[in-house]
Amino acid sequence: MSFADIRGNIVNGNEAVGILLLESGLDTKIVNNSVNGNYGGGIKIAGSGDTLIAGNLLDSNKGPGISLCAESQEFEEYFEDANHCISNELIENTVTASANASEIYIGEGSVGTVLKGNVAADEEDDQLLIDNQSPTTSISSGNVPNFAFTSVGPGHCLDSSSQLYNFATFILDSNTLAECEATCGNYDKTDNLVGFEVSSLACFCLFENGYLLGEIPGTLGTCPSSADQCSIATEGSGVVSSSLLSADEDQYCYKKANFAELCVFCSKGLTVD
């Protein structure tokens, strides 16, 4: 695909993705579009290079608001290198009320993606949820609350010593990935949240060893009052390194993408302000 300038469009209520590019050309711009209520997500790009996605308003899409470097198997019939994404920018987009998925998804094939000033405008906490699968993504949020997480795999999250983490359990009305990430994202500002686990039965927010001081919600200690229960029986510490699946569980592990930067001293049981 050659250069494209997709600008100032209103794309509402489609049964598929609002704006879909299988492969965008160099210097493609997707700017100042209003993309609302689409059933396959807001903006989805499979392959791209030097693409600017900026100033778009995305609301109530049933899937990721913006999905960059989407999984290649969805598009392999069209071209071989579907998830080849290099040097793309997501700048000052507003993504609200995306259902059943993160608000921004960055695929593992993405290289050198830059995110700056993207915001959520949900009524509850304005927390922007970013599912980042690429180690080369740069996320600059300033004062904007961003919760970036990465899928580790099925099962329980483990630290580098194969230890399980302390956790707070939340039994939600809908134990979906979106609901769990939003719930645990509320505790991102503690700098002690290492990740979360989600299953069909419950959502588990995982914390650095020493942060949770009790197991009864709302009493002395830091067990959230809205939790169903907490557990401090394990000693997991530091960045999530792997996951371990038990045969009878449908649990999935997600780690906080920038935990190492924010919580340098958390392994010693200290809270970073």
Side-chain angles (χ1 to χ4, degrees):
M1 179 179 180
S2 60
F3 163 83
D5 192 326
I6 302 172
R7 185 184 301 264
N9 298 286
I10 298 175
V11 186
N12 295 342
N14 291 288
E15 294 184 0
V17 181
I19 296 174
L20 171 64
L21 295 180
L22 298 179
E23 185 175 20
S24 65
L26 295 177
D27 298 322
T28 286
K29 293 179 174 59
I30 304 174
V31 178
N32 296 336
N33 298 283
S34 178
V35 186
N36 306 310
N38 300 287
Y39 281 83
I43 297 172
K44 179 178 285 188
I45 303 175
S48 59
D50 293 316
T51 293
L52 174 65
I53 305 171
N56 299 285
L57 175 62
L58 303 106
D59 186 19
S60 300
N61 295 289
K62 306 298 183 182
I66 299 173
S67 181
L68 182 64
C69 208
E71 296 299 323
S72 60
Q73 60 263 30
E74 296 183 46
F75 306 108
E76 61 186 0
E77 63 181 286
Y78 298 99
F79 60 98
E80 295 181 357
D81 201 15
N83 61 352
H84 184 71
C85 309
I86 299 176
S87 301
N88 300 288
E89 294 184 304
L90 280 69
I91 310 293
E92 296 183 356
N93 298 282
T94 299
V95 189
T96 68
S98 295
N100 303 318
S102 57
E103 286 158 341
I104 293 178
Y105 171 84
I106 308 296
E108 64 180 349
S110 180
V111 177
T113 299
V114 174
L115 287 78
K116 293 181 181 179
N118 299 284
V119 299
D122 298 314
E123 294 181 358
E124 294 184 359
D125 59 12
D126 291 347
Q127 178 92 295
L128 182 67
L129 304 169
I130 304 168
D131 184 351
N132 176 48
Q133 302 291 326
S134 170
T136 65
T137 299
S138 172
I139 301 173
S140 175
S141 58
N143 293 323
V144 178
N146 286 185
F147 177 34
F149 66 94
T150 301
S151 174
V152 177
H156 296 286
C157 296
L158 302 175
D159 71 2
S160 59
S161 299
S162 298
Q163 293 287 317
L164 297 166
Y165 293 91
N166 294 339
F167 60 88
T169 303
F170 296 83
I171 300 175
L172 307 173
D173 291 337
S174 176
N175 290 306
T176 63
L177 171 58
E179 292 295 327
C180 189
E181 71 191 58
T183 298
C184 295
N186 291 328
Y187 304 99
D188 184 38
K189 298 173 186 177
T190 68
D191 293 340
N192 284 276
L193 182 76
V194 301
F196 63 91
E197 298 169 5
V198 61
S199 75
S200 59
L201 299 177
C203 169
F204 307 91
C205 303
L206 310 179
F207 293 95
E208 175 67 23
N209 186 35
Y211 174 71
L212 295 177
L213 301 178
E215 296 189 331
I216 301 175
T219 58
L220 292 176
T222 46
C223 182
S225 59
S226 58
D228 289 273
Q229 66 180 34
C230 291
S231 173
I232 57 173
T234 51
E235 299 182 350
S237 180
V239 179
V240 175
S241 296
S242 61
S243 65
L244 175 66
L245 178 64
S246 298
D248 58 346
E249 293 179 301
D250 62 349
Q251 204 139 308
Y252 288 85
C253 166
Y254 294 83
K255 69 178 180 179
K256 183 175 174 179
N258 57 346
F259 177 74
E261 301 171 12
L262 296 177
C263 205
V264 174
F265 302 107
C266 285
S267 62
K268 299 179 181 179
L270 301 176
T271 301
V272 179
D273 295 323

